[in-house]
Amino acid sequence: MNTFSINTLVRENILKLKPYISFRDHNEFNEPIYLDANESPFGEWNRYPDSTQRKLKNSLAELRSLSPAQIAVGNGSDELIDLIIKIFCEPKKDAILMMNPSFAMYGFYATINENRVLQLDLDENFEIVKEDFLKTVKEESIKVFFLCSPNNPTGNSTEDIEFYLQNFDGIVVVDEAYIEFSGKKSSLELLAQYPNLIVLQTFSKAWGIAGARVGVAYASEEIIQLINTVKAPYNVNALSQELILNALEDENRLKDNVRDIVAERTWLQDQFKDTDCITKVFPTDANFFLIKLKDIDKVYAKMLEQEILTSRRDPAIPGCIRINVGTRQENEKLVNLLKNI
Ligand SMILES: *Cc1c(COP(=O)(O)O)cnc(C)c1O
């Protein structure tokens, strides 16, 4: 992947695009009088947010030991997935590649952009079959490979991420929405080596701030510049930027959240092991796991009766439900129900 520039992968219209520049966000002022954006002069949230998300990026850059120019912030990582597809995939021509089963949003946004969605069927341990990958990526129209690790909904991580970076002449997006729960190394450390890598992370899961809708892309400055160019100027609202900045200053927040969830995950796993209606508990690196049930229709109906919401994954994954870790009280209610079936 070091043989050519990223620009050869970018759609032509995107390469020509001039970004919308908010003058006030790209210049330094002391005490400006804002008469430039038709805002109200009254109120607390009367101003448009910083379109460059400068403070947020500086804070993240420090945390990750990267440059702010290697960071893009989105309205959830969902927005970043959408933008990445729009930057690289020509409608009606190019394709994305994803694992199967994996996170549905990759296919959703690709389909909206009229790009084909090619899938790599995972093996019985939910792992990628490397020979299939090598065969599939020979197709030149594949521009982006979405590699979800730990994978949603299977919960397992992909080993040897570098293999995929080295053997694909397109963009590899490593979606690390659940990395904090995994104890495995983040692919962030590979950024310096691989210009075709984008790492996605989010504040929606381990950070516990899904309501704010904030996701982050880490990549080369070139790729980040492209994302900055195509994004809506004010894509992350002022309240969310402030909320996330405060969360980043709270050193223990993430650690405590992750410790508590991982402890509950272990407790739930133990409980599930001797629950008759469950035939298999899949290993997980995330805050959820897949369980296989003897009679999924019956169990799911009982759960709904008690308003316990879980995610059915059948028929794609036969007999399986994805359940995420809740509080001890919530988990106990779930376990009681399952043990009494
Ligand atoms: C939950 C999740 C996300 C997070 O999306 P946000 O838009 O940041 O909330 C991204 N990728 C995967 C695989 C997920 O499961």
Coordinates of all heavy atoms in Angstrom, one line a residue, residues 75-79 81 103 106 148 150 152 175 177-178 201-205 210 213-215, ligand 1:
N75 N -20.6 13.2 14.1 CA -21.9 13.0 14.8 C -22.1 11.5 15.0 O -22.9 10.9 14.2 CB -23.0 13.7 14.0 CG -24.4 13.7 14.6 OD1 -24.5 13.2 15.8 ND2 -25.4 14.1 13.9
G76 N -21.4 11.0 15.9 CA -21.3 9.5 16.0 C -20.3 9.0 15.0 O -20.0 9.7 14.0
S77 N -19.8 7.8 15.3 CA -18.9 7.2 14.2 C -19.8 6.8 13.0 O -19.3 6.7 11.9 CB -18.1 6.0 14.7 OG -18.7 5.3 15.7
D78 N -21.1 6.7 13.2 CA -22.0 6.5 12.0 C -21.7 7.5 10.9 O -21.7 7.2 9.7 CB -23.4 6.6 12.5 CG -23.9 5.2 13.0 OD1 -23.1 4.3 13.2 OD2 -25.2 5.1 13.1
E79 N -21.7 8.8 11.3 CA -21.5 9.8 10.3 C -20.1 9.7 9.6 O -20.0 9.8 8.4 CB -21.5 11.2 11.0 CG -21.4 12.3 9.9 CD -21.1 13.7 10.4 OE1 -20.6 13.9 11.6 OE2 -21.4 14.7 9.7
I81 N -18.5 6.8 9.1 CA -18.7 5.7 8.2 C -19.3 6.2 6.8 O -18.8 5.9 5.7 CB -19.6 4.6 8.8 CG1 -18.8 4.0 10.0 CG2 -19.9 3.6 7.7 CD1 -19.8 3.1 10.9
F103 N -21.4 -5.2 11.6 CA -22.2 -4.0 11.9 C -22.9 -3.6 10.6 O -22.3 -3.3 9.6 CB -21.2 -2.9 12.4 CG -21.9 -1.7 12.9 CD1 -22.9 -1.7 13.8 CD2 -21.5 -0.4 12.5 CE1 -23.5 -0.6 14.4 CE2 -22.0 0.7 13.0 CZ -23.1 0.6 13.9
Y106 N -22.4 -0.3 7.8 CA -21.5 -0.1 6.6 C -22.3 -0.4 5.4 O -22.2 0.4 4.4 CB -20.3 -1.1 6.7 CG -19.7 -1.3 8.0 CD1 -19.4 -2.5 8.6 CD2 -19.3 -0.1 8.7 CE1 -18.8 -2.6 9.8 CE2 -18.6 -0.2 10.0 CZ -18.4 -1.5 10.5 OH -17.8 -1.6 11.7
C148 N -14.3 -4.7 11.6 CA -14.8 -4.4 12.9 C -14.2 -5.3 14.0 O -14.3 -6.5 13.9 CB -16.3 -4.6 12.9 SG -17.2 -3.9 14.3
P150 N -13.2 -5.3 18.3 CA -14.1 -6.5 18.4 C -15.3 -6.3 17.5 O -15.8 -5.2 17.3 CB -14.5 -6.5 19.8 CG -13.5 -5.7 20.6 CD -13.0 -4.7 19.7
N152 N -19.1 -6.5 16.0 CA -20.5 -6.5 16.4 C -21.2 -7.2 15.3 O -21.1 -6.8 14.2 CB -20.9 -5.0 16.5 CG -22.4 -4.9 16.9 OD1 -23.1 -5.9 17.1 ND2 -22.9 -3.7 16.9
D175 N -12.8 -0.5 12.9 CA -13.9 0.0 13.7 C -13.7 -0.5 15.1 O -13.9 -1.7 15.4 CB -15.3 -0.3 13.2 CG -16.4 0.4 14.0 OD1 -16.1 0.9 15.1 OD2 -17.5 0.5 13.4
A177 N -15.2 0.3 18.0 CA -16.2 0.8 18.9 C -16.2 0.2 20.3 O -16.6 0.8 21.3 CB -17.6 0.6 18.3
Y178 N -15.6 -1.0 20.4 CA -15.6 -1.8 21.7 C -14.2 -2.0 22.2 O -14.0 -2.9 23.1 CB -16.4 -3.1 21.5 CG -17.8 -2.9 21.0 CD1 -18.1 -2.9 19.7 CD2 -18.8 -2.5 21.9 CE1 -19.4 -2.7 19.2 CE2 -20.1 -2.3 21.5 CZ -20.4 -2.4 20.2 OH -21.6 -2.1 19.7
Q201 N -13.3 5.3 16.6 CA -13.6 5.0 18.0 C -14.9 5.9 18.3 O -15.3 6.7 17.5 CB -12.5 5.4 18.9 CG -11.3 4.4 18.7 CD -10.2 4.6 19.7 OE1 -10.2 5.6 20.5 NE2 -9.2 3.7 19.7
T202 N -15.5 5.6 19.4 CA -16.7 6.3 19.7 C -16.9 6.6 21.2 O -16.3 5.9 22.0 CB -17.9 5.5 19.2 OG1 -19.1 6.2 19.6 CG2 -18.0 4.1 19.9
F203 N -17.7 7.6 21.5 CA -18.0 7.9 22.9 C -19.3 7.2 23.3 O -19.8 7.4 24.5 CB -18.1 9.4 23.2 CG -16.7 10.0 23.2 CD1 -16.1 10.5 22.1 CD2 -16.0 10.1 24.4 CE1 -14.8 11.1 22.1 CE2 -14.7 10.6 24.5 CZ -14.2 11.1 23.3
S204 N -19.9 6.4 22.4 CA -21.2 5.8 22.7 C -21.2 4.6 23.6 O -22.2 4.2 24.1 CB -21.8 5.4 21.3 OG -22.1 6.6 20.6
K205 N -20.1 3.9 23.7 CA -20.1 2.6 24.4 C -19.4 2.6 25.7 O -20.0 2.9 26.7 CB -19.5 1.5 23.4 CG -20.2 1.5 22.0 CD -21.6 0.9 22.1 CE -22.4 1.3 20.9 NZ -22.0 1.0 19.5
A210 N -23.6 7.8 24.7 CA -24.3 7.6 23.4 C -25.2 8.8 23.0 O -25.4 9.2 21.9 CB -25.0 6.3 23.4
R213 N -23.8 11.7 20.8 CA -23.5 11.4 19.4 C -22.1 11.9 19.0 O -22.0 12.9 18.2 CB -24.6 11.9 18.4 CG -26.0 11.5 18.7 CD -26.2 10.0 18.6 NE -25.8 9.5 17.3 CZ -24.9 8.5 17.2 NH1 -24.3 8.0 18.2 NH2 -24.7 8.0 16.0
V214 N -21.1 11.4 19.5 CA -19.7 11.8 19.1 C -18.8 10.6 18.8 O -18.7 9.7 19.7 CB -19.1 12.6 20.2 CG1 -17.6 13.0 19.8 CG2 -19.9 13.9 20.4
G215 N -18.3 10.5 17.6 CA -17.4 9.5 17.2 C -16.1 10.1 16.7 O -16.1 11.3 16.3
Ligands
LIG1 C1 -22.2 1.1 18.3 C2 -21.2 1.0 17.2 C3 -20.7 2.1 16.6 C4 -21.0 3.5 17.2 O1 -21.7 4.3 16.5 P1 -21.9 5.8 17.0 O2 -22.5 6.4 15.8 O3 -20.6 6.4 17.4 O4 -22.8 5.7 18.2 C5 -19.8 2.0 15.6 N1 -19.5 0.8 15.1 C6 -19.9 -0.3 15.7 C7 -19.5 -1.6 15.2 C8 -20.9 -0.2 16.7 O5 -21.4 -1.4 17.3

